[in-house]
Amino acid sequence: MKLWHVSFVYVSFVTLVICCYGYAEQRTMPKKTYIVHMDKSSMPLSYDDHVQWYDSSIKAVSNSANMIYTYNNVIHGYSTRLTTTEAESLEGQPGILLVQEELIYQLHTTRTPAFLGLDESAAVKLEAGAVSEVIVGVLDTGVWPESKSFDDTGLGPVPSKWKGKCDVSKDFSSSSCNNKLIGARSFSEGYEAAFGPIDETLESKSPRDDDGHGTHTSSTAAGSSVTGASLFNYAMGTARGMAAHARVAIYKVCWLGGCFSSDILAGLEMAVSDGVDVLSLSLGGSVSDYFRDTVAVGAFSAMSHGIFVSCSAGNGGPTPESLSNVAPWIATVGAGTLDRNFPANAILGNGKNFSGVSLYSGKMLSDSLVPLVYAAKVSNSTSGILCMTGTLDPEKVAGKIVVCDRGVNSRVQKGIVVRDAGAVGMILANTDTFGEELVADAHLIPAATVGQTAGDAIKKYISSDPKPVATIAFAGTRLGIQPSPVVAAFSSRGPNPITPEILKPDFIAPGVNILAGWTGKVGPSGLNDDTRQVDFNIVSGTSMSCPHASGLAALVKSAHPDWSPAAIKSALMTTAYNTYKNGETIQDIATGMASTPFDYGAGHVAPTAALDPGLVYDANVQDYLEFLCALNYSSNLIRVVTKQAFTCDSDKKYNLGDLNYPSFAVPFETSSGTGGGKSAPAVIKYTRTLTNVGIPAAYKVSVSSETRSVKIAVEPETLAFSRPNEMKNYTVTFSATSLPSGTTSFGRIDWLGGKYVVSSPVAFTWT
């Protein structure tokens, strides 16, 4: 099983790294791609249109540069290739708001519907309305249109609002689209400007998915029901997307070299124009201010057009502050587990049996125990412990099972290295970086992954026994694993590294061992050595949890077509759960202890409850403009993010904590380092507005705090709603005593009225 990644940690988890590349040269000065943000209202009257003005601005600094894309929906401006000197000169021109060097983003995937409570009867009820009118747009690596997940049987005509189309090429015909897959486009100009023309022997210059990631995410969000789906008979069942009757539109913006911000903007530009209702982006990059974040800027425009935007939180966990995609107008989605596993047992000669996981499906090992060795002892290389290519001594591993440490190179690649050295099997042992997190893979050799504790015990057995032996037994698919869900160790964590006053992630959704559609171009591991062909694959990562949220947002949108993106996100957040049925808090697999809102945000999504949340915390463009004022953004920077001419009121005090967000993050300051001097300020007030979207009721507040050092007071304590869409305000006062810098604590604010419980997590930090 592939693990898709948004953070910066492991190659085997598709990692999100931001790099900047120069390419062609002009007089020895390399050119780079820049995105140029223009003040559209500043166009001189001497020009007939904005494109003419944009072209003139380029020609003023370069005789050879041309526009790669022009943008009008998500930003006002264009992208082009310039030298550093030319870019600096351009930035000084009138009407130029920002000249931004292009960033390269990388990609961050049957049991799920039942686990989420979307069984057949519930699914029929949820989708009996207008789900087929909802269009989910996915920006990713493209799509494999032949997948059964895009069968349009039973779907009516394409929604009349749809303005998109299918790009036609030699490997993607107009018939590749249908009433399910209603649009497919590709955007490669930015990629090709940096790296030259696409080598079509290596990747398709079309919406076709050469990687598998895009097919997996899009079918997770809105794939049609497919019976008998499995990966090598693992996870056998009916595979269906979260919104199985919604329509799908694909925007291919990711290539072998990564996902280029100029192409991402072009994809977002087209998606907004085409008329999508939900956008799903399982990609990201290093965290930067919102005005420099391509995804944040594009998502703002989408939100202003009423489009819900869901993004993966990243796979940098369990490191604190490892999140990406943290803009408050984005739904930031972390990953949790299902109640399903794929057990494989490492059986040792001393009689001990250690449980692991695997998706291996080839010839099994015999019942006889075979010699067992640790890679560190059968290699002359310092990297031999990791089973890197060429590091194992064939004479010392032939016919044996090799224990390899997890990390650096692909998990399946390690097995190939072991196999090519003559070994018959592999036990992949987690190190302290990965702890007890078990990620299953479709290995090419009999292999099992075990947690750190088991790995350490196996290594101890090898070092203490003169003739260690072992075998590996595979046990198929097991359901009902408890506890579940647990927070995935790789899922990126808070606090929010850009705006500590906004709690992120927003919530978690299934993201471990997810079965969904796959490309016909590569095997399940994605490696060149893997020639196996599969229709479905089992993959992990916040790339997989993100489309779950996107599909669930489509369900909520279908039930409430007039709701704003903020209202939909609020419904998913305030109905999420953070405890098991026995009352214990959801566990963090990285620690084996209780998780916190910095791990799961508001909690794990509960889609049926989200359809009827009672109250919502709504927000509109004006609210976000005032949020940017609270960040002390200038009028020019606000225009970069929003495309709007807006000047902050110098007489008004803007407060980050007053954004009408469904959760609370409260940073306190200490006056003296770890000594925990007097908090300054000791009292912080936030305001919120609740809108009634359910049965009218009187709500009474309930507050809790883990620490006596913070008191939470809500005024008023009761809110009575008598009609639909009625709005009520309340104020929360957080009073804190002194605690050492670096301390964190948590609480909750719940509004209880009739059948509804509207829940918000609270996170406290002292810095």
Side-chain angles (χ1 to χ4, degrees):
M1 178 221 69
K2 237 176 174 179
L3 180 56
W4 294 100
H5 218 61
V6 195
S7 70
F8 325 94
V9 192
Y10 325 110
V11 174
S12 59
F13 293 46
V14 179
T15 318
L16 272 244
V17 182
I18 287 198
C19 322
C20 301
Y21 291 91
Y23 191 68
E25 292 190 357
Q26 181 183 23
R27 294 184 181 180
T28 73
M29 293 192 68
K31 286 194 173 187
K32 304 175 183 179
T33 298
Y34 291 88
I35 296 170
V36 183
H37 297 257
M38 304 289 286
D39 179 358
K40 194 174 182 179
S41 64
S42 298
M43 184 184 77
L45 296 176
S46 57
Y47 295 101
D48 295 329
D49 58 49
H50 289 88
V51 175
Q52 188 183 53
W53 178 39
Y54 297 166
D55 186 64
S56 176
S57 68
I58 298 175
K59 295 299 186 283
V61 299
S62 173
N63 293 325
S64 60
N66 295 299
M67 283 183 284
I68 300 172
Y69 294 108
T70 60
Y71 309 103
N72 187 56
N73 289 325
V74 292
I75 68 168
H76 291 148
Y78 59 90
S79 51
T80 187
R81 299 278 292 176
L82 300 170
T83 66
T84 302
T85 301
E86 290 168 345
E88 291 172 351
S89 178
L90 180 63
E91 198 160 29
Q93 288 191 21
I96 305 289
L97 296 173
L98 179 69
V99 178
Q100 180 182 5
E101 189 174 336
E102 176 163 68
L103 305 177
I104 303 177
Y105 294 70
Q106 304 286 357
L107 299 166
H108 271 190
T109 136
T110 39
R111 178 66 181 163
T112 308
F115 181 73
L116 291 175
L118 297 176
D119 58 28
E120 283 304 313
S121 58
V124 170
K125 180 181 178 181
L126 291 171
E127 301 200 31
V131 179
S132 65
E133 292 296 307
V134 178
I135 302 167
V136 179
V138 181
L139 273 69
D140 213 295
T141 63
V143 65
W144 192 256
E146 293 81 9
S147 171
K148 294 179 181 178
S149 294
F150 305 109
D151 183 2
D152 64 354
T153 300
L155 285 173
V158 172
S160 59
K161 65 184 177 182
W162 177 244
K163 301 180 180 66
K165 67 172 189 176
C166 260
D167 285 347
V168 176
S169 65
K170 62 184 181 182
D171 68 348
F172 206 94
S173 66
S174 58
S175 62
S176 296
C177 288
N178 56 22
N179 287 339
K180 177 65 173 181
L181 180 62
I182 63 174
R185 300 175 184 261
S186 63
F187 302 88
S188 61
E189 283 85 349
Y191 174 47
E192 292 185 285
F195 287 141
I198 287 175
D199 183 349
E200 295 190 59
T201 66
L202 299 177
E203 54 185 330
S204 304
K205 191 177 179 180
S206 76
R208 185 166 291 279
D209 183 9
D210 303 303
D211 180 273
H213 190 272
T215 302
H216 200 283
T217 56
S218 54
S219 59
T220 297
S224 299
S225 293
V226 182
T227 59
S230 73
L231 172 65
F232 305 132
N233 291 321
Y234 287 102
M236 177 68 74
T238 298
R240 61 181 294 270
M242 297 299 95
H245 290 85
R247 317 300 176 116
V248 178
I250 299 296
Y251 302 87
K252 183 176 178 178
V253 298
C254 296
W255 307 86
L256 287 179
C259 316
F260 286 65
S261 55
S262 59
D263 294 330
I264 293 171
L265 276 179
L268 289 167
E269 174 93 2
M270 191 60 69
V272 171
S273 178
D274 286 347
V276 304
D277 299 294
V278 174
L279 276 170
S280 188
L281 291 84
S282 291
L283 49 81
S286 62
V287 177
S288 59
D289 288 324
Y290 304 125
F291 69 90
R292 296 189 182 278
D293 184 340
T294 297
V295 172
V297 171
F300 190 98
S301 178
M303 173 275 301
S304 69
H305 284 83
I307 300 168
F308 179 93
V309 182
S310 174
C311 293
S312 47
N315 294 351
T319 304
E321 292 187 286
S322 53
L323 294 162
S324 59
N325 299 316
V326 296
W329 47 87
I330 290 173
T332 309
V333 190
T337 64
L338 296 173
D339 63 342
R340 178 180 65 194
N341 213 339
F342 309 102
N345 298 320
I347 303 168
L348 306 186
N350 61 4
K352 292 187 177 180
N353 187 330
F354 294 97
S355 180
V357 295
S358 181
L359 296 168
Y360 175 70
S361 64
K363 183 180 179 181
M364 301 297 169
L365 292 172
S366 67
D367 294 335
S368 301
L369 300 178
V370 298
L372 179 68
V373 294
Y374 182 32
K377 303 297 184 181
V378 291
S379 171
N380 294 321
S381 169
T382 56
S383 59
I385 191 174
L386 297 169
C387 297
M388 304 286 284
T389 300
T391 60
L392 299 180
D393 185 342
E395 292 185 1
K396 295 180 180 179
V397 303
K400 301 175 182 178
I401 294 175
V402 180
V403 176
C404 303
D405 281 357
R406 180 176 168 184
V408 183
N409 58 333
S410 158
R411 298 181 300 277
V412 176
Q413 180 65 42
K414 294 175 188 289
I416 294 174
V417 171
V418 168
R419 180 198 66 184
D420 291 348
V424 298
M426 177 183 72
I427 297 173
L428 183 59
N430 281 359
T431 61
D432 56 1
T433 302
F434 306 98
E436 300 308 313
E437 177 181 69
L438 298 180
V439 177
D441 293 292
H443 289 282
L444 291 162
I445 185 175
T449 298
V450 298
Q452 181 187 4
T453 301
D456 290 346
I458 293 170
K459 294 171 194 174
K460 183 177 180 181
Y461 163 67
I462 293 172
S463 64
S464 61
D465 192 298
K467 292 184 178 181
V469 291
T471 191
I472 304 170
F474 302 91
T477 303
R478 182 177 297 168
L479 303 178
I481 301 297
Q482 296 299 331
S484 62
V486 297
V487 178
F490 60 75
S491 188
S492 288
R493 315 302 172 96
N496 188 327
I498 298 297
T499 313
E501 293 82 358
I502 302 297
L503 179 62
K504 291 284 184 170
D506 290 311
F507 43 75
I508 61 172
V512 179
N513 294 337
I514 305 301
L515 179 75
W518 197 244
T519 179
K521 276 293 199 66
V522 297
S525 70
L527 299 174
N528 292 334
D529 293 286
D530 189 354
T531 60
R532 297 171 294 180
Q533 296 288 299
V534 297
D535 295 325
F536 293 87
N537 198 8
I538 293 174
V539 184
S540 294
T542 54
S543 277
M544 285 64 250
S545 56
C546 169
H548 278 88
S550 306
L552 297 178
L555 290 180
V556 178
K557 177 74 173 178
S558 70
H560 305 284
D562 58 335
W563 280 12
S564 71
I568 293 172
K569 181 165 71 170
S570 174
L572 291 168
M573 291 177 66
T574 62
T575 59
Y577 62 92
N578 70 326
T579 60
Y580 303 118
K581 292 180 180 179
N582 63 6
E584 293 183 1
T585 301
I586 290 174
Q587 285 187 15
D588 179 359
I589 199 169
T591 63
M593 307 293 287
S595 56
T596 77
F598 286 147
D599 307 320
Y600 57 69
H604 192 283
V605 290
T608 303
L611 292 168
D612 185 20
L615 306 173
V616 295
Y617 293 87
D618 207 354
N620 55 32
V621 170
Q622 180 66 30
D623 296 313
Y624 295 120
L625 287 169
E626 295 188 6
F627 168 78
L628 296 175
C629 288
L631 289 173
N632 296 317
Y633 272 33
S634 67
S635 295
N636 277 356
L637 290 183
I638 290 176
R639 192 186 288 265
V640 167
V641 175
T642 69
K643 299 187 305 176
Q644 298 194 28
F646 185 82
T647 301
C648 303
D649 186 346
S650 59
D651 295 327
K652 181 176 181 178
K653 184 178 180 181
Y654 297 97
N655 183 3
L656 290 169
D658 286 342
L659 179 66
N660 201 37
Y661 215 69
S663 58
F664 297 83
V666 189
F668 291 100
E669 295 181 359
T670 55
S671 58
S672 58
T674 57
K678 183 179 179 181
S679 297
V683 176
I684 294 178
K685 292 187 177 182
Y686 287 177
T687 61
R688 292 290 191 269
T689 301
L690 282 164
T691 301
N692 179 43
V693 294
I695 300 170
Y699 288 78
K700 185 172 179 59
V701 74
S702 172
V703 301
S704 61
S705 176
E706 290 180 352
T707 175
R708 295 182 179 179
S709 297
V710 179
K711 293 183 178 180
I712 305 173
V714 178
E715 180 63 33
E717 294 183 347
T718 302
L719 297 174
F721 296 89
S722 59
R723 62 184 186 275
N725 299 315
E726 185 177 4
M727 301 169 70
K728 297 281 187 178
N729 300 327
Y730 70 92
T731 300
V732 188
T733 302
F734 303 101
S735 304
T737 57
S738 171
L739 284 177
S741 178
T743 300
T744 61
S745 187
F746 305 95
R748 294 193 72 80
I749 298 175
D750 298 334
W751 289 95
L752 292 78
K755 67 176 183 177
Y756 301 111
V757 178
V758 183
S759 296
S760 296
V762 185
F764 305 107
T765 56
W766 282 261
T767 57

